[in-house]
């Protein structure tokens, strides 16, 4: 069988139809320890991750922060925790006040990448802060947004 | 002749031939292209539909079927032909609304499978069941729609993880050499069904790399029983080759112009021929709104070697929209010929929203054309018949040269839906009609070969139609050799079914 190439997958990602979440792989390269530090501040953001199918592998999370100047949100941190069937939590500490969003995927085979099929459609579970849901594409930053002013909690649901 | 000259001349020739068509070609409730603005609110769509349904029986064609399905013993009218026995399966969107919320496109509703079990004696049994996809089951439990849909405007109560989250399995079926039955959509996986009970048997995973990948609703079988199909999403096109029992043997990815939908294709003895319509993916609420007309873009024809699945030839045709093909074949010198139902109107996908808000779809004046692609890629066209859709042929002629082509047709002036089945003689020219008469909305008809028959048209035309005066659906049989003689037999249900799309017949 001839498989797709990465270039083709990226083309699919550029298509408005494709249900692709290319930026989820931003969690790659994050430190192996949970709770990595981001911009200095006193606050904690706790993400309760629900709907995890199995205890295989890890949950990878990427933390996005809004650009106060109105530019695109930037990835400011990443976290990785052991997967737990059902529910677990991912915590980001040392955050300054501001608007954040978290994107997660269940890296069930712990290879550091979100597996996709030949069309770039995710083959592993994924979810977003603020219970945001993917429709014909990933949710917007606004839909995922969590405003951190003190210690803050949010929930992400992982569909598979 | 260069490409531009060819396109200009072909377009002019087609325009001229259209101008000479009888009035039926322009028949319809609205002029081609004159569709009203789609309603974005699902409750407003539902209200508009119900208001029209109360005074217009044609809307029965888009009324939802009961979610529990139907089981009936149809009443026979006429004399059932000896030898016509087997399972006639049909698939189409059967559930367009829940809890006062109505979908925005005909293509969105959950797949309702009809199973007409035909017996030599005419003592038929009928069953209809919704495909129990995860989507259907979740929404049945909730009592309302939960997921987004291609027609737009639906709330996203639950997340999609991929296309199969919303797979309605609502377009066609595939019968396999081992007796297996798949229900087909085109945006995601095929769905296994139990051929007797129609129970949901899970999505088909062709391979790990292709889990959840689009598998289109018009697979085609070679003379040896092997199965070819495509899947497309945006700029990606996958070609698949499967064994006669549905096991993946080969697949290959290609990049294409992002037309939005690639619904059907042609299989010859050597080639897979993919025809890309004059549309491009743009922006909009829901997938179908993104399939934008691109009338300045020619139709692209891509020819692939059916064994290696590699691109071998390209051609272009005048701009337009194409859903379906009847058959294609390849001659010794590599010349490819096939029929296609072509509309110069590239807005067809948008027009099929209309029934969701209680309007008849505008007539897009689709006509059947015979296309010839020379080994050099030069293309030429000739017109076969106007005002048709849903082309089918004798399945024994698939990938070989066929003389006859059968299509649902608007045969009378002013008809706003198909009222006949056209039989086209490709070799000698000429069209004859198996007519339904007034008050019918006819659907796709299959050619079923007579057991032991050898002549290409020795068999029956079998299909469903909605009878408006009695608000009932019936399955009708015509003699394909003598369609003008009218129906041989008819099986009546006691209710109207929503109009469906495609059928498959399994003898036995």
């Amino acid at each position: 069988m001839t498989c797709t190439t990465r270039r083709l997958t990226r083309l699919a990602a550029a298509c408005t139809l494709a249900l692709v979440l290319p930026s989820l792989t931003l969690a790659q390269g994050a430190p192996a320890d949970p709770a990595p530090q981001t911009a200095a501040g006193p606050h904690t953001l706790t993400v309760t991750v629900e709907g995890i199918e199995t205890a295989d592998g890890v949950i990878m999370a990427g933390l996005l922060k809004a650009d106060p100047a109105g530019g695109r949100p930037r990835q400011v941190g990443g976290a990785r925790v052991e997967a737990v069937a059902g529910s677990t939590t991912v915590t980001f500490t040392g955050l300054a006040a501001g608007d954040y969003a978290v994107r997660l995927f269940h890296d069930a085979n712990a290879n550091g990448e979100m597996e996709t099929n030949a069309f770039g459609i995710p083959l592993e579970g994924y979810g977003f802060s603020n219970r945001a849901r993917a429709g014909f594409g990933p949710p917007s930053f606004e839909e995922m947004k969590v405003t951190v002013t003190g210690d803050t909690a949010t929930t992400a649901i992982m569909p598979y | 002749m260069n490409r531009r000259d060819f396109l200009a001349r072909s377009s002019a020739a087609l325009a001229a031939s259209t101008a000479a068509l009888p009035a039926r070609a322009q028949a319809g409730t609205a002029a081609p292209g004159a569709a009203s603005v789609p309603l974005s609110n699902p409750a407003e769509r539902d209200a508009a539909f119900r208001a029209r349904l109360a005074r217009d029986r044609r809307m029965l064609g888009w009324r939802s079927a009961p979610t529990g399905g139907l089981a009936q013993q149809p009443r026979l009218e006429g004399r059932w032909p000896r030898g016509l026995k087997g399972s006639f399966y049909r698939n189409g969107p059967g559930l367009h609304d829940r809890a006062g919320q109505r979908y925005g496109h005909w293509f969105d509703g959950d797949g309702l499978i009809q199973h007409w079990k035909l017996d030599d004696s005419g003592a038929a049994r009928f069953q209809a069941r919704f495909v129990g996809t995860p989507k259907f089951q979740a929404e049945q439990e909730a009592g309302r729609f939960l997921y987004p849909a291609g027609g737009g405007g639906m709330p996203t109560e639950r997340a999609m993880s991929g296309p199969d989250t919303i797979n309605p399995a609502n377009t066609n079926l595939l019968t396999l050499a081992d007796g297996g039955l798949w229900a087909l959509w085109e945006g995601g996986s095929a769905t296994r069904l139990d051929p007797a009970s129609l129970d949901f048997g899970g999505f088909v995973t062709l391979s790990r790399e292709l889990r959840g990948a689009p598998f289109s609703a018009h697979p085609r079988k070679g003379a040896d029983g092997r199965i070819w199909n495509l899947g497309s999403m945006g700029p990606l096109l996958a070609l698949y080759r499967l064994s006669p029992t549905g096991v993946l043997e080969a697949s290959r990815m290609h990049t294409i112009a992002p037309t939005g939908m690639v619904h059907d294709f042609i299989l010859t003895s050597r080639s897979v021929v993919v025809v890309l319509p004059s549309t491009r993916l743009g922006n909009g609420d829901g997938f179908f709104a993104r399939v934008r007309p691109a009338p300045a873009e020619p139709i692209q024809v891509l020819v692939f070697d059916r064994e290696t699945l590699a691109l071998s030839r390209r051609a272009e045709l005048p701009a337009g929209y194409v859903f379906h093909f009847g058959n294609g074949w390849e001659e010794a010198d590599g010349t490819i010929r096939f029929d296609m139902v072509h509309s110069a109107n590239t807005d067809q996908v948008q027009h099929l929203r209309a029934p969701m808000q209680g309007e008849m779809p505008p007539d897009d004046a689709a006509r059947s054309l015979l296309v010839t692609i020379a080994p050099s890629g030069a293309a030429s066209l000739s017109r076969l018949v106007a005002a048709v859709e849903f082309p089918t042929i004798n399945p024994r002629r698939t990938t070989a040269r066929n003389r006859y082509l059968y299509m649902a047709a608007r045969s009378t002036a002013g008809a706003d839906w198909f009222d006949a089945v056209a039989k086209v003689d490709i070799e000698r020219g000429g069209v004859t009609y198996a007519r339904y008469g007034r008050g019918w909305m006819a659907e796709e008809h299959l050619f079923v070969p007579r057991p032991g028959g050898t002549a290409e048209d020795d068999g029956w035309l079998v299909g469903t139609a909605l009878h408006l005066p009695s608000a009932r659906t019936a399955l009708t049989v015509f003699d394909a050799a003598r369609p003008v003689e009218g129906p041989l037999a008819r099986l009546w249900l006691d209710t109207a079914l929503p109009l469906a799309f495609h059928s498959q017949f399994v003898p036995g």
Side-chain angles (χ1 to χ4, degrees):
Chain A
M1 170 176 155
T2 310
C3 294
T4 185
T5 64
R6 283 219 160 267
R7 188 180 69 80
L8 292 182
T9 304
R10 279 200 297 274
L11 275 169
C15 165
T16 52
L17 161 69
L19 279 158
V20 287
L21 303 161
S23 46
L24 276 179
T25 52
L26 287 174
Q28 288 173 47
D33 298 332
Q37 302 306 299
T38 60
H43 306 306
T44 297
L45 174 61
T46 304
V47 187
T48 302
V49 188
E50 294 181 354
I52 303 168
E53 240 176 31
T54 69
D56 298 336
V58 294
I59 303 294
M60 303 281 275
L63 179 70
L64 296 176
K65 189 170 193 303
D67 177 359
R72 291 185 58 177
R74 288 180 308 113
Q75 170 120 356
V76 294
R80 191 174 107 154
V81 299
E82 294 297 314
V84 177
S87 171
T88 189
T89 58
V90 178
T91 307
F92 295 93
T93 59
L95 302 183
D99 289 338
Y100 294 85
V102 183
R103 299 181 293 208
L104 311 98
F105 75 96
H106 183 177
D107 186 10
N109 61 358
N111 69 347
E113 290 190 17
M114 185 167 73
E115 306 280 309
T116 62
N117 71 11
F119 284 84
I121 297 165
L123 295 176
E124 296 179 304
Y126 58 88
F128 310 93
S129 52
N130 196 31
R131 295 176 178 269
R133 294 176 286 257
F136 288 102
S140 65
F141 183 85
E142 277 303 304
E143 291 168 315
M144 298 185 280
K145 187 176 78 179
V146 183
T147 300
V148 173
T149 51
D151 287 351
T152 306
T154 187
T155 300
I157 314 287
M158 306 277 274
Y160 288 79
Chain B
M1 194 190 304
N2 68 27
R3 179 177 81 87
R4 260 180 209 293
D5 288 344
F6 161 70
L7 291 173
R9 287 188 204 181
S10 299
S11 298
L14 280 173
S17 69
T18 304
L21 293 177
R24 66 172 181 265
Q26 282 85 35
T29 52
S36 53
V37 176
L39 296 172
S40 60
N41 182 310
E44 287 177 16
R45 293 194 290 242
D46 198 49
F49 176 82
R50 287 179 191 284
R52 182 69 177 261
L53 176 64
R55 60 187 169 81
D56 186 342
R57 287 198 174 184
R58 295 174 301 179
M59 290 298 121
L60 289 170
W62 295 280
R63 183 181 66 176
S64 294
T67 54
L70 293 161
Q72 293 184 16
Q73 191 146 0
R75 183 175 65 78
L76 174 66
E77 178 187 347
R79 190 185 169 111
W80 193 258
R82 275 181 69 87
L84 178 52
K85 57 181 180 178
S87 287
F88 183 84
Y89 293 104
R90 224 168 130 60
N91 192 359
L95 191 72
H96 298 292
D97 65 290
R98 283 187 189 266
Q101 307 277 299
R102 192 169 176 84
Y103 280 140
H105 201 287
W106 187 6
F107 295 172
D108 280 335
D110 296 273
L112 178 71
I113 308 296
Q114 303 173 29
H115 181 191
W116 300 74
K117 187 82 176 87
L118 307 177
D119 185 86
D120 243 356
S121 66
R125 282 176 290 130
F126 173 81
Q127 181 192 18
R129 279 189 70 184
F130 281 99
V131 183
T133 57
K135 169 197 179 292
F136 179 83
Q137 292 176 35
E139 293 180 337
Q140 187 67 2
E141 196 172 309
R144 63 185 189 282
F145 290 135
L146 301 171
Y147 296 102
M154 306 305 292
T156 305
E157 279 198 48
R158 292 198 192 161
M160 289 173 66
S161 62
D164 281 344
T165 307
I166 59 162
N167 188 337
N170 68 357
T171 310
N172 200 352
L173 298 128
L174 174 64
T175 59
L176 302 171
D178 61 2
L181 181 68
W182 293 357
L184 305 176
W185 186 40
E186 67 183 49
S189 304
T191 300
R192 274 192 192 83
L193 297 179
D194 182 299
S197 68
L198 306 179
D199 282 348
F200 174 74
F203 292 127
V204 177
T205 298
L206 296 174
S207 71
R208 175 165 172 81
E209 292 86 356
L210 294 170
R211 180 153 69 89
F215 187 83
S216 196
H218 287 280
R220 289 186 179 260
K221 292 177 185 171
D224 58 4
R226 288 185 299 164
I227 299 161
W228 279 259
N229 200 7
L230 58 78
S232 80
M233 182 179 282
L236 294 181
L237 172 78
L239 299 179
Y240 310 122
R241 193 176 71 240
L242 284 67
S243 75
T245 56
V247 177
L248 183 73
E249 291 183 343
S251 71
R252 189 160 183 153
M253 301 295 294
H254 296 273
T255 52
I256 56 169
T259 56
M261 286 180 69
V262 185
H263 183 70
D264 192 1
F265 69 96
I266 303 109
L267 181 71
T268 74
S269 55
R270 295 181 217 154
S271 303
V272 166
V273 184
V274 177
V275 177
L276 304 179
S278 303
T279 52
R280 290 294 181 270
L281 273 178
N283 296 317
D285 175 19
F287 171 68
F288 296 117
R290 297 177 188 170
V291 183
R292 307 308 309 169
E297 300 288 345
I299 287 177
Q300 294 179 28
V301 181
L302 308 175
V303 180
F304 302 91
D305 181 293
R306 79 175 205 176
E307 299 302 329
T308 65
L309 307 180
L311 183 69
S312 59
R313 223 185 302 178
R314 287 176 180 271
E316 291 185 347
L317 299 172
Y321 202 80
V322 180
F323 280 114
H324 297 122
F325 312 94
N327 188 42
W329 69 92
E330 195 152 346
E331 295 168 0
D333 69 352
T335 299
I336 291 171
R337 297 185 207 274
F338 60 90
D339 67 276
M340 70 175 182
V341 179
H342 173 279
S343 170
N345 195 324
T346 57
D347 217 6
Q348 277 196 296
V349 172
Q350 305 307 319
H351 289 177
L352 297 175
R353 293 171 171 278
M356 294 297 101
Q357 56 194 59
E359 298 164 15
M360 291 297 286
D363 180 3
D364 283 309
R367 56 265 168 108
S368 175
L369 306 175
L370 186 66
V371 182
T372 301
I373 309 284
S376 65
S380 61
L381 300 167
S382 61
R383 190 171 65 83
L384 295 172
V385 61
V388 289
E389 246 300 356
F390 300 118
T392 57
I393 66 155
N394 181 334
R396 294 175 180 163
R397 304 298 302 166
T398 299
T399 75
R401 179 173 185 155
N402 60 302
R403 175 175 171 187
Y404 297 112
L405 182 63
Y406 309 93
M407 287 167 281
R410 302 171 198 239
S411 70
T412 51
D416 55 15
W417 198 258
F418 307 116
D419 60 0
V421 186
K423 177 186 182 184
V424 179
D425 186 334
I426 295 175
E427 286 181 7
R428 298 187 187 174
V431 182
T432 50
Y433 291 97
R435 294 181 197 275
Y436 271 90
R438 293 176 64 86
W440 288 90
M441 295 172 80
E443 304 184 87
E444 178 188 81
H445 283 56
L446 294 186
F447 179 94
V448 177
R450 186 190 308 273
T454 53
E456 186 181 325
D457 62 350
D458 188 1
W460 302 284
L461 295 171
V462 182
T464 48
L466 175 55
H467 184 239
L468 299 176
S470 67
R472 290 180 298 167
T473 292
L475 179 143
T476 302
V477 182
F478 299 92
D479 182 343
R482 287 174 289 277
V484 292
E485 292 180 6
L488 296 174
R490 179 165 283 154
L491 292 168
W492 287 95
L493 299 181
D494 63 14
T495 187
L497 297 175
L499 295 172
F501 291 139
H502 297 295
S503 317
Q504 298 296 329
F505 182 76
V506 184

